[in-house]
Amino acid sequence: MQNGTSDDVKKIVTVLNEAEVPSEDAVEVVVSPPFVFLQQAKALLRPDFAVAAQNCWVRKGGAFTGEISAEMLVNLQVPWVILGHSERRALLSESNDFVADKVAYALAQGLKVIACIGETLEQREAGTTMEVVAAQTKAIAEKISDWTNVVLAYEPVWAIGTGKVASRAQAQEVHDGLRKWLHANVGPAVAESTRIIYGGSVNGANCKELAAQPDLDGFLVGGASLKPEFVDIIKSATVKSSSA
């Protein structure tokens, strides 16, 4: 998200650094500030939390003014990048194929990728949710062979920043469908090992019931990541293990 100042970054990082959260074995925490604050966040953040860029260019750097290349992120030792966010798909017309090319190039440079997929309200109301997310995932699957460093982030566009949240049943249904799609089209091992996380108005109040769903492997957190409740969301990662 395009939010914050350097002082805001300091405040948020301070809260995170002081938080008591489960160990890295239980939950992997990745913080994704805007490009201009990446170095600051990385320098201040506790070592068990990683940073991610919010985007990168589709191929090697060059005459692409205003863009940031995967190589630059590697050079800065930024391990993660978020690609295909719904806002970039909608506002900047990034197609499924373009996003897939980005994912493939970033992976080839050694970055780990959070690849975003999701349907609009119109698509959900038309009953095409699974068609849409399957097509978005298929484009990526056609360009990569190794899923080790890919996390899929399902973000229903109608639930991003709107206060509307997919019910736990709606979220689980899509995550289950995505896992079945991966099983049938990529392979059982990839379907089992690939993390599918949920994004869309996740907050401290709803994170536990969402985290308890069998096919939700974590969250891509928006507005709530700017608030202290982000710590509660991190802690919700242990819901499954504590109820097992």
Side-chain angles (χ1 to χ4, degrees):
M1 296 190 299
Q2 187 179 292
N3 283 311
T5 63
S6 58
D7 283 343
D8 293 330
V9 171
K10 283 179 194 169
K11 287 175 191 169
I12 294 165
V13 169
T14 298
V15 170
L16 293 175
N17 284 348
E18 293 174 354
E20 288 186 27
V21 298
S23 71
E24 288 176 273
D25 295 337
V27 60
E28 185 171 12
V29 180
V30 180
V31 180
S32 186
F35 283 122
V36 291
F37 300 130
L38 267 172
Q39 285 286 74
Q40 180 192 10
K42 189 172 183 296
L44 296 175
L45 201 60
R46 55 198 284 177
D48 54 331
F49 289 3
V51 293
Q54 296 182 8
N55 180 48
C56 68
W57 183 235
V58 67
R59 44 188 175 268
K60 194 173 181 179
F64 306 105
T65 303
E67 290 292 337
I68 306 292
S69 70
E71 290 88 348
M72 289 176 184
L73 297 179
V74 171
N75 178 248
L76 293 177
Q77 296 182 306
V78 173
W80 285 92
V81 64
I82 299 171
L83 296 173
H85 192 279
S86 63
E87 288 151 8
R88 297 197 64 87
R89 290 178 185 266
L91 301 177
L92 297 166
S93 303
E94 294 193 2
S95 68
N96 291 352
D97 284 340
F98 187 69
V99 171
D101 284 335
K102 279 186 164 189
V103 171
Y105 190 79
L107 290 171
Q109 303 315 306
L111 291 172
K112 293 184 275 191
V113 174
I114 298 168
C116 301
I117 58 177
E119 84 284 15
T120 63
L121 182 60
E122 292 77 15
Q123 289 164 336
R124 175 162 279 275
E125 288 177 342
T128 59
T129 292
M130 279 316 302
E131 272 176 58
V132 170
V133 296
Q136 292 167 337
T137 308
K138 180 173 183 280
I140 294 168
E142 288 175 345
K143 298 279 173 68
I144 69 172
S145 55
D146 185 352
W147 285 73
T148 308
N149 290 323
V150 178
V151 171
L152 279 181
Y154 167 58
E155 294 191 300
V157 179
W158 48 272
I160 299 173
T162 61
K164 295 179 181 176
V165 187
S167 70
R168 56 189 177 184
Q170 287 173 319
Q172 167 58 23
E173 181 183 24
V174 177
H175 282 238
D176 176 59
L178 283 166
R179 211 173 294 284
K180 284 174 177 165
W181 189 92
L182 288 172
H183 189 282
N185 296 278
V186 182
V190 168
E192 188 176 340
S193 63
T194 300
R195 286 175 287 176
I196 306 174
I197 63 177
Y198 171 78
S201 296
V202 177
N203 57 44
N206 60 36
C207 58
K208 283 189 178 179
E209 67 171 20
L210 286 164
Q213 302 310 301
D215 288 291
L216 268 69
D217 301 317
F219 298 119
L220 184 60
V221 187
S225 67
L226 305 173
K227 303 171 187 174
E229 68 187 289
F230 185 41
V231 175
D232 297 323
I233 298 171
I234 294 169
K235 289 179 178 177
S236 73
T238 60
V239 166
K240 284 193 190 68
S241 57
S242 62
S243 61

